[in-house]
Amino acid sequence: MTYETSEASEASANSAPGVVTRPRWNKVPEVTAYFWIIKVLCTTVGETAADLLNEKAGLGLTGVSVLMSGLLAVVLVVQFRTTAYRAGVYWLAVALISVVGTLISDNLTDNMGVPLETSTAVFAVALVVVFVVWYRREGTLSIHSVDTTGREAFYWLAVLFTFALGTAAGDLVSERMNLGYWLTAVLFALAIGAVAVAHFALGLDAVRGFWIAYVLTRPLGASIGDYLSQPTGDGGLGFGTVLTSVLFLAVILGLVGYLAVTRRDVIDRGRAARQAA
């Protein structure tokens, strides 16, 4: 995570003597290899957990959607109330929003009969609208300045739509091209690689590159989850949703615990001050 002060915080440095102001801490992690690994793992768990709860819990798609949305709302309240990035709270919110984003897309397709082409287009437009409003109000889409309640609200709304869009787009590609889980995962991995090349070699803006990759990691993780969990007769490895979800959750917990202890994805105040100097 990057520690940055907002414009208001920077202005406070020149405030009158004796006036105590509080710097605003960035509320999201630095984008490192750990970030992308956990993001893909959360995406995979979002796919398998949604299937598991829908099939095993007996609540039905609507019941599971209500339950998980309620849990997500509680965790987001905790996330908004924190004063700085907390690895455990942040990644729990991402994992839950992954499940909810998947369920939103599945509800539109399975319960309402909305074509995947339509839901993909709707989620894409919704995401663009969030970005436009976010930029017009805040002047930036950078995740290195998510240090106000408004910016954090835009951030999480954008994250929700990236998961919903990635789910619908991934299902659309998988069904229309009939590639199977493994080849679909390879296709989206290559797309992410192309974004990386465009950023590092061709000068693609870091903010645009980040959000494009963020969308693409959703169908990548979902394809990996389906490949591991689905029966061999359907093109998977047959591990099942329970084992796949448990394995990936264990890895997520291990990595998040490591980051919480080492703070490898947090920039401390001293380092931030040196960078700003």
Side-chain angles (χ1 to χ4, degrees), residues 23 29 37 43 81 91 96-97 128 130 138 142 152 175 181 187 211 214 236 253 257 271:
I37 292 171
T43 297
R81 289 176 65 86
W91 286 112
L96 288 172
I97 213 167
V128 170
V130 171
E138 303 294 339
S142 173
E152 190 173 10
E175 290 185 10
Y181 304 127
L187 174 65
W211 286 112
Y214 205 96
L253 289 174
R271 180 177 174 186

Side-chain angles (χ1 to χ4, degrees), residues 97-173:
I97 213 167
S98 174
V99 176
V100 171
T102 299
L103 290 169
I104 290 174
S105 180
D106 288 348
N107 270 290
L108 288 175
T109 302
D110 298 340
N111 285 350
M112 300 180 168
V114 178
L116 286 170
E117 294 88 348
T118 302
S119 58
T120 298
V122 168
F123 289 136
V125 171
L127 183 59
V128 170
V129 169
V130 171
F131 285 146
V132 169
V133 176
W134 181 357
Y135 187 79
R136 286 185 175 180
R137 291 199 55 172
E138 303 294 339
T140 180
L141 300 178
S142 173
I143 65 167
H144 288 158
S145 56
V146 182
D147 54 4
T148 69
T149 300
R151 291 179 181 181
E152 190 173 10
F154 283 122
Y155 175 84
W156 287 110
L157 191 58
V159 168
L160 175 62
F161 282 126
T162 63
F163 276 111
L165 172 60
T167 300
D171 290 345
L172 178 61
V173 170

